[in-house]
Amino acid sequence: MTENTLRVLIIDDEPAIRKLLKISMQAYGYELGEAATGQDGLLMAASFRLDIILVDLGLPDMDGKAVVKALREWSETPIIVLTAREQEQEKIAALDVGADDYVTKPFGMGELMARMRVCLRRAGNKEGEPILTCGGLQLNLLEHRVVVEGREVKLTPTEYELLKVMLKYAGRVLTHKQLLKAVWGNEYDTDTHYIRIYMRQLRRKIEPDPAQPKYLITEAGIGYRLLGGE
């Protein structure tokens, strides 16, 4: 996969946004597809091979979250939602139904392109790799070993499972609900205090400065994101 072969689908009813995105993305050599409605977007997504999809939440015929949910029934293509909605619950709902990330309008193209690169890197990772890495973090699935910047750290089973999920989806915003289901099970999907406790413990073990984390980043009111520590 190279930049000049990447295919991007933009599902947004605002002509000005589509024009801006088209001009900017073509400058990177991306191939662009455009749709002004959710139904047209779903049809295009089913008709062409795509590398990433950008979905506006405020579409004229259906809510953008419904588009994401429909796509996730059959596609693992990275999805970034574009939204002018400031409410945290809207962003959380979009992530819970399968979006990989979100960008709030108005946005800078630099930020959007950076978010796209993260999603594409994660999607390009080989399935079944026994070692998960992100920056200075390394988790060996076969040996159950965790190394942080060359130093092995000992984790409890729950800390290990939480870090494994974060590494598996490195760069992606994971909501409290998603983390609870992945680590503790469906019956714990409202017990967010578990995440805060274990995230604090993880930071003490893997962050150079737990008070200013560079790996485990809090998305206020939404969840957490694991970055490469840069």
Side-chain angles (χ1 to χ4, degrees):
M1 182 185 295
T2 60
E3 283 195 345
N4 60 4
T5 62
L6 289 176
R7 294 184 178 182
V8 182
L9 173 61
I10 303 165
I11 308 175
D12 195 307
D13 65 323
E14 296 183 51
I17 293 290
R18 295 201 308 273
K19 182 178 180 180
L20 169 65
L21 292 173
K22 185 173 184 178
I23 293 172
S24 300
M25 305 253 175
Q26 285 182 337
Y28 284 84
Y30 294 177
E31 294 182 27
L32 270 291
E34 299 178 54
T37 67
Q39 290 294 343
D40 286 347
L42 290 172
L43 180 61
M44 291 185 69
S47 303
F48 302 98
R49 179 191 66 80
L50 298 168
D51 294 295
I52 194 162
I53 302 173
L54 308 178
V55 182
D56 180 34
L57 289 187
L59 297 169
D61 60 333
M62 60 195 297
D63 192 272
K65 296 189 295 296
V67 175
V68 174
K69 186 175 182 180
L71 287 168
R72 280 293 173 253
E73 291 179 357
W74 57 271
S75 175
E76 290 299 317
T77 301
I79 300 172
I80 297 178
V81 296
L82 309 177
T83 177
R85 304 173 186 176
E86 293 292 341
Q87 300 94 331
E88 288 178 353
Q89 289 304 317
E90 284 290 318
K91 298 170 184 175
I92 292 170
L95 294 165
D96 278 340
V97 295
D100 293 87
D101 206 346
Y102 66 88
V103 177
T104 303
K105 296 179 180 180
F107 54 81
M109 283 306 303
E111 177 189 7
L112 177 59
M113 299 304 292
R115 299 288 181 92
M116 288 174 60
R117 287 193 295 271
V118 170
C119 286
L120 291 166
R121 281 199 299 270
R122 187 177 65 80
N125 288 342
K126 295 180 180 179
E127 293 292 333
E129 285 291 332
I131 297 178
L132 302 176
T133 61
C134 182
L137 293 177
Q138 185 180 89
L139 186 149
N140 189 310
L141 295 167
L142 297 179
E143 301 176 4
H144 280 236
R145 293 176 65 245
V146 175
V147 176
V148 182
E149 299 177 8
R151 170 180 58 90
E152 184 172 356
V153 297
K154 300 296 183 182
L155 302 181
T156 68
T158 301
E159 291 167 351
Y160 177 88
E161 288 300 319
L162 181 57
L163 184 61
K164 182 171 73 173
V165 172
M166 296 297 295
L167 276 165
K168 183 178 179 181
Y169 297 101
R172 175 177 174 176
V173 179
L174 294 174
T175 66
H176 298 117
K177 184 176 180 180
Q178 289 171 330
L179 288 169
L180 283 165
K181 284 188 174 183
V183 179
W184 286 273
N186 292 335
E187 64 272 26
Y188 294 91
D189 65 357
T190 60
D191 298 313
T192 58
H193 63 282
Y194 284 122
I195 299 177
R196 288 194 296 272
I197 291 170
Y198 281 94
M199 199 63 72
R200 184 163 57 245
Q201 292 175 187
L202 263 181
R203 282 172 170 162
R204 288 173 180 163
K205 294 183 178 182
I206 72 172
E207 297 282 2
D209 182 359
Q212 299 184 48
K214 67 177 187 176
Y215 290 113
L216 298 169
I217 308 303
T218 299
E219 294 284 338
I222 296 173
Y224 297 89
R225 185 200 302 263
L226 189 142
L227 298 179
E230 298 174 355

